[in-house]
Amino acid sequence: MAEETIFTKIINGEIPADKIYEDDLCIAINDIAPRAPVHVLVIPKKPIPRLVDASEEDQAILGHLMLAAGEVARQQGVGDAFRLVVNNGADAGQTVFHLHLHIIGGTSFSEASLAGE
Ligand code: AMP
């Protein structure tokens, strides 16, 4: 059982967040420290720590996260131009060990790094 993260607490309603989307498998929240005009996190309700910790049984969840990200990006008005970023591991910049997709949009990608910074 993975250690409970801040995202699990948000999913469980134990701490507040700016939630903009929810379905059976995931939520989407506005990042608390946005690095672009649109910076949304798509978070599975299942607490998979890192992408590399996902297994075959998570295939449907992983596919669902991609579809949800597209839907949320459209809802946020950046459906034609956004990046999806997954930081896997501390050395790659992961700070919350509960898998999440960063939707980065509304910025000039020619001036943005791959991490959206
Ligand atoms: P990562 O570095 O890929 O693990 O991304 C974690 C992200 O979570 C960072 O962009 C943080 O700004 C964001 N974050 C941390 N705590 C919160 C929170 N309570 N609500 C929304 N976003 C958060």
Side-chain angles (χ1 to χ4, degrees):
M1 183 73 183
E3 190 177 328
E4 190 170 279
T5 67
I6 191 162
F7 291 166
T8 293
K9 292 187 170 96
I10 288 170
I11 289 162
N12 292 338
E14 294 164 25
I15 63 170
D18 188 6
K19 193 190 317 180
I20 59 171
Y21 176 90
E22 179 167 14
D23 62 32
D24 288 348
L25 294 178
C26 69
I27 65 168
I29 62 174
N30 280 315
D31 197 291
I32 203 167
R35 277 158 275 171
V38 173
H39 188 173
V40 174
L41 305 174
V42 181
I43 309 168
K45 290 183 174 177
K46 179 177 177 179
I48 301 164
R50 304 170 301 169
L51 181 62
V52 291
D53 298 314
S55 61
E56 283 294 322
E57 71 179 27
D58 299 316
Q59 189 168 345
I61 292 173
L62 297 179
H64 184 82
L65 293 177
M66 300 293 278
L67 292 172
E71 173 67 22
V72 171
R74 275 193 297 274
Q75 285 181 9
Q76 296 298 301
V78 297
D80 288 331
F82 65 95
R83 281 186 179 156
L84 276 185
V85 175
V86 176
N87 295 323
N88 183 94
D91 287 347
Q94 186 173 4
T95 58
V96 180
F97 287 82
H98 182 140
L99 175 65
H100 50 282
L101 279 55
H102 295 254
I103 299 173
I104 308 285
T107 189
S108 168
F109 290 111
S110 61
E111 296 172 6
S113 76
L114 278 175
E117 294 170 352

